[in-house]
Amino acid sequence: MKNIKSKSRKIILILILSFVAFFPILTIIMTVPGMGIESLTFINSVEKQIKRIMPKNKFVFDPNHPLFEEMMEHVIKSSFKADALSTINFEDSQEKEQFYLKYSNYSDEWYEKYWAKKVENKEQIDLYDIGINFIEFDKSVAEEFQSFGFVNTGIQWIFKSGGLKEIFSKNTYEMSLKQQTVLNQDDYDEQMQYSGPGLNGIKVKHSIGTKIVNNKVWFLNTQIDSINFALKLTNPFVDKTLSKNQNIRYVTVNDLKLPNFTATLIFLRFSAVFIFFNILVIPGGIGLFLILKKKWEN
C-alpha cells in the first residue's frame, strides 16, 4: 500500500512538472500562425496563377524593341500603381484622402528601386519576375500601410511595439473581415472603373476597395488583358514566334485560396491571453511542485 501511494505521488509530481514545461511550449505553438499563415497560403495560390499566366522565360521584354522603355515606364509602372490604388475604397472619401497619394508615391518609389535601373541598362526583363515582384510589393504595402499582422507570424506581431493593442483592436477585426469577404466576381468587376489596357497601362478611376480575393482576381485578369494587348499591337518580347492569340485562361475566385483572417485573429487573441497565463502557471506550478515534494518527503 505504501509503495502504491509513493508511486502515485511521483506520478502527480511528474504531471505537474510536465504541465509546467508543456504549457509555455503550447502557448508559443498557438501564437506562431496568426493571420500571416492565411496570407501565406493565399499568396502561394496567387503565385501559382502568375506562373501559369506568365511562365518564366516566355514573356521576356526585348530591350531593343522601340517601345521597350515606353512599355516599362508606362505600362508596368502604372500596373504597380493600379495594384495599390485598386485596394482603396473610393466611396470612402476619408480612406481615399488618406491613402491615394501615399500609394501613388510608394508604387513609383518601388518601381524606381527595382526596375528603373534595369530599363536604363537595357536589360532583358522577364514578365514572370515582374509578377513575383508584384507579390513582394503587395506584402510591403500591407505591412507599411495596413497591418503588420497580415504578413508576419502571430508571435512576431504580439511582441512588436503596439502589437497587442492592434491585435485586440476593433478596427483590426473589421479590416480583417472586409479583406476576407468575397463577392460575386462579375459584380465586383462591374464596380471597378479603369482605363486600359493600352500604352498608358491600367489606370484606376474608381474602386470599391479590397475584398482581397476579388481584387487579386481582377488585377491578374487585367494583366492577361495587357499581355494580349501588347501582342496584338506589336510583339515587345524576345520570342518573336509568340502568337497574337495566347488564349490565356482568366483567373476565377476558385483559383485562389480564400483566407479566413477573422478566425485566426480570434485564435491569436486567445493565444495572447495564454502568454500572460504563463506568468501565473509557471511559478505557480513550480511552487506547488516544491510544496508537495517537501510535504511528502517529510
Side-chain angles (χ1 to χ4, degrees):
M1 186 71 180
K2 187 176 179 181
N3 287 337
I4 294 174
K5 191 174 183 180
S6 176
K7 287 181 180 179
S8 298
R9 288 174 174 176
K10 286 181 179 179
I11 291 172
I12 291 171
L13 292 175
I14 291 170
L15 288 174
I16 292 172
L17 279 181
S18 298
F19 179 75
V20 169
F22 180 69
F23 192 79
I25 295 173
L26 175 63
T27 303
I28 291 172
I29 292 173
M30 288 175 65
T31 58
V32 167
M35 293 196 300
I37 195 68
E38 289 296 297
S39 294
L40 179 62
T41 54
F42 172 72
I43 287 168
N44 286 341
S45 69
V46 172
E47 184 173 347
K48 182 179 179 182
Q49 292 306 306
I50 288 173
K51 289 177 178 178
R52 177 183 66 82
I53 295 167
M54 47 192 83
K56 192 166 181 62
N57 297 324
K58 182 173 183 179
F59 300 113
V60 180
F61 281 113
D62 181 0
N64 296 315
H65 191 282
L67 292 180
F68 171 69
E69 291 185 6
E70 186 171 358
M71 285 281 187
M72 289 299 299
E73 291 290 336
H74 295 288
V75 178
I76 300 302
K77 188 175 184 178
S78 72
S79 289
F80 281 100
K81 189 171 292 187
D83 186 25
L85 294 181
S86 66
T87 65
I88 298 174
N89 181 3
F90 281 52
E91 295 173 357
D92 185 336
S93 57
Q94 186 176 353
E95 182 177 334
K96 184 179 179 182
E97 183 179 354
Q98 181 181 0
F99 292 114
Y100 191 94
L101 187 58
K102 289 179 180 178
Y103 283 2
S104 296
N105 292 336
Y106 193 77
S107 60
D108 286 344
E109 291 167 5
W110 185 276
Y111 176 84
E112 292 299 318
K113 179 180 179 180
Y114 289 97
W115 301 105
K117 198 69 176 176
K118 293 180 184 294
V119 174
E120 184 182 334
N121 294 337
K122 289 192 172 295
E123 297 180 28
Q124 290 186 358
I125 297 176
D126 196 331
L127 205 51
Y128 168 85
D129 294 328
I130 294 175
I132 298 302
N133 192 237
F134 273 127
I135 292 176
E136 296 306 313
F137 175 68
D138 287 339
K139 288 163 62 177
S140 181
V141 169
E143 183 171 335
E144 182 75 18
F145 299 103
Q146 298 299 327
S147 173
F148 180 87
F150 276 116
V151 289
N152 289 280
T153 63
I155 196 165
Q156 287 175 297
W157 195 12
I158 286 173
F159 290 104
K160 183 182 182 295
S161 176
L164 277 176
K165 182 179 179 181
E166 190 179 6
I167 288 168
F168 286 93
S169 167
K170 180 183 177 182
N171 290 337
T172 302
Y173 181 87
E174 290 176 347
M175 179 173 60
S176 303
L177 181 60
K178 182 178 72 171
Q179 291 275 10
Q180 73 185 34
T181 300
V182 180
L183 305 179
N184 177 280
Q185 191 62 42
D186 290 336
D187 292 341
Y188 183 88
D189 290 344
E190 284 179 8
Q191 296 181 75
M192 292 294 298
Q193 297 175 20
Y194 61 98
S195 63
L199 290 177
N200 290 318
I202 302 293
K203 293 189 182 297
V204 176
K205 298 178 180 179
H206 179 271
S207 171
I208 60 171
T210 299
K211 310 295 187 281
I212 192 171
V213 174
N214 294 121
N215 180 259
K216 196 51 61 183
V217 168
W218 169 83
F219 180 74
L220 289 172
N221 286 339
T222 63
Q223 301 311 296
I224 293 174
D225 289 338
S226 294
I227 292 172
N228 290 332
F229 171 81
L231 285 169
K232 287 175 181 177
L233 176 68
T234 172
N235 184 345
F237 304 111
V238 172
D239 185 356
K240 302 306 178 185
T241 65
L242 288 171
S243 168
K244 290 183 178 182
N245 301 304
Q246 283 298 301
N247 197 28
I248 305 171
R249 180 178 66 81
Y250 283 114
V251 181
T252 69
V253 166
N254 293 331
D255 290 320
L256 302 183
K257 165 70 169 62
L258 308 185
N260 192 338
F261 293 124
T262 52
T264 50
L265 178 62
I266 292 170
F267 186 74
L268 183 61
R269 287 176 174 179
F270 280 112
S271 304
V273 173
F274 280 4
I275 286 178
F276 292 96
F277 277 170
N278 278 272
I279 299 172
L280 301 174
V281 170
I282 295 174
I286 293 174
L288 179 62
F289 172 82
L290 294 174
I291 290 170
L292 291 177
K293 186 173 185 294
K294 184 175 181 181
K295 179 181 177 182
W296 289 335
E297 283 179 348
N298 293 335

